[in-house]
Amino acid sequence: MADVSDDRGSVADQIDDSEETSPVELNAVARENALRVEPAVSDDKSLIEAPSRASPFVNETPVNETPPSVDPSPSVTMHLALQNFDIICTICLYVHYRSLPALASTCRIFERPALDVLWRNLQSVEPLVKCLPSDLFDNEQGCMVLVKPLDARTWGILCKYTSCVHSITQSNRSAVIEPLGSLMLSCPSAPASLFPNLRRLKWHTNGTHCAAEFLRMAFVPTLLSLEIQISSASPKFLSVLSSLGVLCPQLQMLDMRFPSATHDSLRKTSPFVAQAISQLHCLEELFVWDLGDQGNKHLMQLQTLQTLVGLENISSLGKTVTLAIPRLSRFVFFGPFHR
């Protein structure tokens, strides 16, 4: 099946740049998605066409995932190479990501491997909303809002896509974060079942309550790396952040930056971050500001920590930290908060 995308970008791309999104434009997104992936063989007819936009993916093998078996008795004669699952996965890795939805719809043999590559590394949270039927959302005063709940079947198909996600990067503000937050609040499943394979999360945008609602679902036990860079944090965001140690016990890298925050706001944020750090017993790399006396005590209890990067005040710990953390091999500090 030919790649139906072009260099002009998608209808959704063009809508993102406008100030308001009309129902007509939202329907245009749905029609475009339907053209991108026409489900020739999938039972998930309403949503298989909707993985929508994604970004280039890395060559990476899914962890702890058993490949589906290839049908040993295809209805038509098939080349032996296409009956080898490893070969099928390799083919998908070299297909342009804009063509992956079409490849996923050709037959069941290609569906799962193609979707795995398509959804593996998301460069935005937008596909999580734009893969859904457009009649679930409306435009109110220039904002996209959720107007209908998802039924069980739609949740099941969305979970099939999110189970393929291994990393999420959100680098700027997006109009879909608010409806995404509403969507997460209505999720009937536990967070671990929505993103069971998520390993890396970069959140370089805002710390609003809507962002907190999404992050609560993205803080899963499989998460290994977390980067948060925000200008400010709402009380709900800080509350979710304080539970990081319990929700992500295997976290190995934590990078917390509030570039434009004042010393007073950092002081108010520190207890929430300190509580999270105190429960991260697998942490190997940490970038953080001075967390105060109590927070610094938690730092000295991180026996697995190898790299500590932080503020000038942390340097006062100096030799104490080095002696208290036997594995610490890199200790870097900056004057004003490093941007």
Side-chain angles (χ1 to χ4, degrees):
M1 183 178 294
D3 186 356
V4 298
S5 64
D6 56 37
D7 294 333
R8 295 174 298 174
S10 66
V11 174
D13 291 328
Q14 300 170 28
I15 290 176
D16 287 342
D17 295 332
S18 64
E19 296 182 357
E20 297 189 0
T21 306
S22 68
V24 174
E25 290 172 321
L26 291 174
N27 289 333
V29 174
R31 288 195 299 272
E32 181 192 52
N33 287 340
L35 288 174
R36 287 192 172 188
V37 188
E38 185 175 351
V41 295
S42 175
D43 293 331
D44 305 325
K45 293 185 179 180
S46 65
L47 289 185
I48 187 66
E49 66 243 26
S52 75
R53 300 184 287 123
S55 295
F57 302 89
V58 296
N59 187 341
E60 191 176 319
T61 303
V63 179
N64 297 329
E65 181 172 330
T66 302
S69 59
V70 177
D71 187 357
S73 56
S75 57
V76 296
T77 303
M78 182 180 297
H79 194 285
L80 289 177
L82 296 182
Q83 298 182 41
N84 185 303
F85 184 78
D86 291 335
I87 292 177
I88 292 171
C89 290
T90 301
I91 291 172
C92 293
L93 290 172
Y94 286 93
V95 173
H96 193 279
Y97 74 91
R98 289 185 179 272
S99 298
L100 285 167
L103 180 62
S105 71
T106 57
C107 65
R108 290 192 182 277
I109 289 177
F110 280 101
E111 181 181 352
R112 184 66 191 194
L115 290 179
D116 282 342
V117 178
L118 178 63
W119 286 88
R120 180 176 297 277
N121 296 312
L122 297 183
Q123 297 301 312
S124 167
V125 296
E126 292 186 2
L128 298 173
V129 170
K130 293 184 177 179
C131 74
L132 299 172
S134 60
D135 62 353
L136 294 175
F137 305 94
D138 200 356
N139 185 283
E140 293 184 3
Q141 299 180 348
C143 298
M144 183 185 292
V145 295
L146 183 69
V147 295
K148 290 170 55 178
L150 277 67
D151 58 28
R153 181 173 176 275
T154 305
W155 271 118
I157 299 173
L158 179 61
C159 287
K160 181 178 71 173
Y161 295 151
T162 58
S163 68
C164 300
V165 177
H166 282 232
S167 73
I168 300 174
T169 298
Q170 184 65 37
S171 300
N172 47 49
R173 296 178 182 272
S174 173
V176 307
I177 291 178
E178 184 170 348
L180 182 62
S182 301
L183 197 65
M184 295 298 101
L185 286 176
S186 65
C187 181
S189 305
S193 62
L194 188 64
F195 293 104
N197 294 304
L198 187 62
R199 303 289 190 270
R200 296 176 299 279
L201 176 61
K202 294 183 180 180
W203 193 261
H204 294 184
T205 177
N206 52 38
T208 63
H209 67 281
C210 294
E213 290 158 1
F214 169 73
L215 292 181
R216 178 61 182 82
M217 300 299 290
F219 285 174
V220 292
T222 57
L223 196 66
L224 300 177
S225 175
L226 174 63
E227 295 181 26
I228 295 181
Q229 184 171 327
I230 57 179
S231 56
S232 61
S234 69
K236 183 179 290 187
F237 190 96
L238 293 177
S239 179
V240 171
L241 193 61
S242 68
S243 63
L244 179 65
V246 175
L247 299 175
C248 311
Q250 302 302 315
L251 197 70
Q252 298 175 3
M253 196 285 288
L254 176 61
D255 188 337
M256 291 286 301
R257 309 191 193 197
F258 288 52
S260 59
T262 63
H263 286 288
D264 184 58
S265 62
L266 288 176
R267 180 181 57 80
K268 294 178 180 179
T269 303
S270 293
F272 296 90
V273 177
Q275 178 172 318
I277 290 176
S278 68
Q279 299 168 320
L280 293 173
H281 303 300
C282 296
L283 199 62
E284 297 178 358
E285 184 177 352
L286 175 64
F287 190 120
V288 73
W289 60 89
D290 180 16
L291 297 174
D293 293 340
Q294 189 61 38
N296 291 336
K297 289 181 181 179
H298 291 318
L299 286 180
M300 289 186 285
Q301 296 172 5
L302 299 176
Q303 297 302 302
T304 59
L305 195 65
Q306 299 176 20
T307 299
L308 174 61
V309 182
L311 282 174
E312 181 179 14
N313 290 345
I314 290 183
S315 67
S316 62
L317 297 176
K319 188 175 181 180
T320 304
V321 171
T322 305
L323 294 175
I325 309 176
R327 296 188 182 182
L328 190 67
S329 59
R330 182 168 177 258
F331 184 25
V332 182
F333 58 92
F334 300 94
F337 195 79
H338 185 64
R339 287 168 171 78

